[in-house]
Structures are given as structure tokens and as C-alpha cells.
Amino acid sequence: MNSKKLFSGALMIAFLAIVSTANAQLRLGLKGEVGINKPLFTKDLYSVENMNAFKVGPSIEFMFSEQNLGIETSLLYSNEKMTVKNVESNGITNVLDKVSSHYLDIPVNLKYKIAIISPLKVYLAAGPYAQLKVAGDEFTYDAFKNQVKNEKFQAGVNLGAGAELLSKIQVGFNYRMRLTDDYSSTQPQWEDILNENKGFWSLSAALYF
């Protein structure tokens, strides 16, 4: 609940900043992200591969032209996949379960641009995000399906940097730090392994009009 209040407060501050500034540039665009890390967690006789596959959706950039400072927010469809494996004593692994979850991802980033040489700029970005689960698979493996729950709401912080070319194309990288758990469980060992990784790297690209 505290994460929801924090994100709502950030949205309100962003909105007030926008409506109070007349000298600004509003642009619409399309943004996508691809996860570049595939973390592997192993505990006892099980291993979990957790990978953020991809995100895509519309984006809005609102820049205060005199300060090179602005706000970027997006509404992204996000698909995340998880594979649970059994690790045998001889090192052989067997797939026990595969889960694909679908989210609406809403990042709100404060963005600062620095002109290098025309037509190239670099930017720094940071801000909160929220994820709302809209659909997805359920666990079928007995040790998980009755003890593990995928949380409907997740939140955290984005940190990013990149380059802008011709005032239209943006390419960068993003580090996402989770502040809430993806999964809850009645068994502490499952909760620990499923939520072990708190950060993910991704590559992003956007086209603004």
C-alpha cells in the first residue's frame, strides 16, 4: 500500500509540474525495451530462471525547453517469463514449470538532456514505476501451485541513460530496482528464491514525433 501511495504522489507532482509550465514541448512516441540479463537462482534442489522478455507501448515526453529538463511517462505492455527446474545430484536439470505473466508497466521518469554536437544529445533519466498484472499462467508444479502467489501490483525505481539523434530517435539502457516482491508464499524458502534478484538491466529504444 505504501508503494501505491508513493507512486500516486509522484504522478501528482509530475502533473502539477506540467500544467504550471507554459513554455514546454510535448511529444508522443513509441517505446520498447528488451531485457539483457537472464539471472539464474539456485537453492536446495531447485533453480529458477527469471527473464524480462520485452516491453512495448506508447510514450509521452514533456520537456521544459529552457532547462533541458522534462518528464517522460509510458504505458507499456510487458511480458515476463519464468522457468523452474529440478537440479539432480549429477547436475542434470529437468524443467518442472514454465510461467508467462503479462503486465501493464507505467514508468514516470524525470529526464535531463545535454547537447553534445548537433544533432546528438545524451540524456539521464530516473523515476518510479508501477506494474499491474493483467493476465498470466498459473504454476502447475505441486510444490508451487498451492504455496506461491504472483503479486498483482509491483513498484520500484528506474535509472537510465542514453543518446538522442535528430531529436527523434532515443537509444539507451535502463536499470530497474524493485521495491516490492513479485511473489508471495506461505513457505519462506520459495519466497526467498523467487524474489532474490532485486535489479534488472534492459536496452530501450524510442521514436518520438
Side-chain angles (χ1 to χ4, degrees), residues 61-176:
E61 184 187 79
F62 194 92
M63 300 298 297
F64 312 125
S65 57
E66 293 182 354
Q67 293 84 11
N68 290 322
L69 186 68
I71 294 170
E72 180 187 63
T73 184
S74 307
L75 180 62
L76 306 176
Y77 160 74
S78 176
N79 176 244
E80 297 184 4
K81 298 179 180 180
M82 172 180 287
T83 301
V84 181
K85 297 181 179 181
N86 171 254
V87 183
E88 298 181 0
S89 58
N90 57 8
I92 297 176
T93 59
N94 301 305
V95 175
L96 302 176
D97 216 337
K98 289 187 176 182
V99 176
S100 179
S101 298
H102 308 275
Y103 299 90
L104 288 180
D105 191 294
I106 309 170
V108 180
N109 291 322
L110 189 66
K111 179 182 284 187
Y112 182 70
K113 295 183 181 180
I114 305 170
I116 304 299
I117 54 173
S118 181
L120 177 66
K121 295 180 180 179
V122 297
Y123 68 83
L124 301 174
Y129 75 87
Q131 274 198 161
L132 305 175
K133 185 180 179 182
V134 294
D137 303 328
E138 299 294 336
F139 286 107
T140 59
Y141 180 55
D142 289 340
F144 280 85
K145 67 179 181 181
N146 296 322
Q147 300 176 355
V148 178
K149 178 183 177 182
N150 191 339
E151 297 291 348
K152 302 293 185 182
F153 175 83
Q154 301 163 25
V157 175
N158 285 315
L159 300 173
E164 179 181 272
L165 184 64
L166 301 173
S167 297
K168 292 182 178 294
I169 302 171
Q170 295 180 4
V171 179
F173 62 90
N174 187 70
Y175 179 74
R176 169 161 288 193

Side-chain angles (χ1 to χ4, degrees), residues 20-61:
S20 63
T21 305
N23 186 18
Q25 299 175 350
L26 176 67
R27 300 193 299 170
L28 303 179
L30 183 66
K31 186 174 185 178
E33 286 189 33
V34 177
I36 58 175
N37 58 338
K38 190 175 182 180
L40 174 64
F41 314 130
T42 301
K43 185 171 182 179
D44 298 330
L45 299 179
Y46 299 95
S47 67
V48 174
E49 295 178 4
N50 193 346
M51 179 180 67
N52 181 358
F54 66 90
K55 305 171 189 272
V56 64
S59 186
I60 298 175
E61 184 187 79

